[in-house]
Amino acid sequence: MKNKYAKAAVNAVLHFQNNSVNIVQSWQYAVREQFPNQIESQKKGCPKSAFLGLCEDGFVKGVPVGNYTRGTLNKSYAVKAVSILKANRNSSINSKQLWELVMDGESKTPNLQMDVVLALAESDLLNI
């Protein structure tokens, strides 16, 4: 896994599976673990909304469908990324390539959303 948000996503799922807390609390725990003294990094919205958006729609193994985020735009990027991964199971796609496919020609700077999606996929934590 390349970055701390990717690690946080995987750790949040594992924390959720092993503790009786909700997935939002598990995300908060995981980012505090990755960024112990960086409050702004703990609050960063894009990777959080991508992660919780996938959880919300039942894409993350073991996490029940629910209402976890208001970040609809980043959620939509993550959900689209999952459908792209599903359609390209046998090919290796990195986060930059995945972002370009999700954006479909739109010029927008990524903010770690695809790292979260790919980390979950690589850890076999996505329902795809």
Side-chain angles (χ1 to χ4, degrees):
M1 277 173 257
K2 295 174 178 66
N3 67 56
K4 291 182 177 187
Y5 291 103
K7 291 177 187 171
V10 171
N11 290 345
V13 176
L14 300 176
H15 183 262
F16 175 79
Q17 292 171 345
N18 294 317
N19 297 277
S20 51
V21 295
N22 69 41
I23 195 64
V24 175
Q25 291 169 318
S26 290
W27 173 262
Q28 291 165 342
Y29 168 83
V31 291
R32 277 194 308 268
E33 187 178 65
Q34 293 298 316
F35 303 99
N37 300 311
Q38 298 161 291
I39 302 302
E40 291 307 311
S41 296
Q42 292 174 20
K43 293 180 180 179
K44 189 171 185 72
C46 296
K48 176 183 178 181
S49 295
F51 173 75
L52 293 175
L54 291 175
C55 293
E56 193 167 83
D57 283 5
F59 285 106
V60 180
K61 289 182 179 177
V63 179
V65 171
N67 186 13
Y68 305 124
T69 184
R70 293 187 308 259
T72 57
L73 193 57
N74 289 298
K75 172 185 173 177
S76 70
Y77 298 151
V79 168
K80 187 172 180 183
V82 169
S83 68
I84 290 167
L85 291 177
K86 195 175 193 176
N88 297 283
R89 287 181 199 262
N90 298 325
S91 57
S92 175
I93 299 175
N94 66 35
S95 62
K96 183 180 186 299
Q97 294 164 325
L98 187 56
W99 181 252
E100 288 171 1
L101 291 168
V102 167
M103 288 293 98
D104 193 27
E106 184 181 341
S107 179
K108 191 166 189 173
T109 304
N111 204 346
L112 303 163
Q113 302 95 323
M114 300 302 104
D115 297 275
V116 166
V117 175
L118 287 171
L120 293 171
E122 291 164 5
S123 299
D124 195 31
L125 293 171
L126 285 181
N127 290 315
I128 53 173

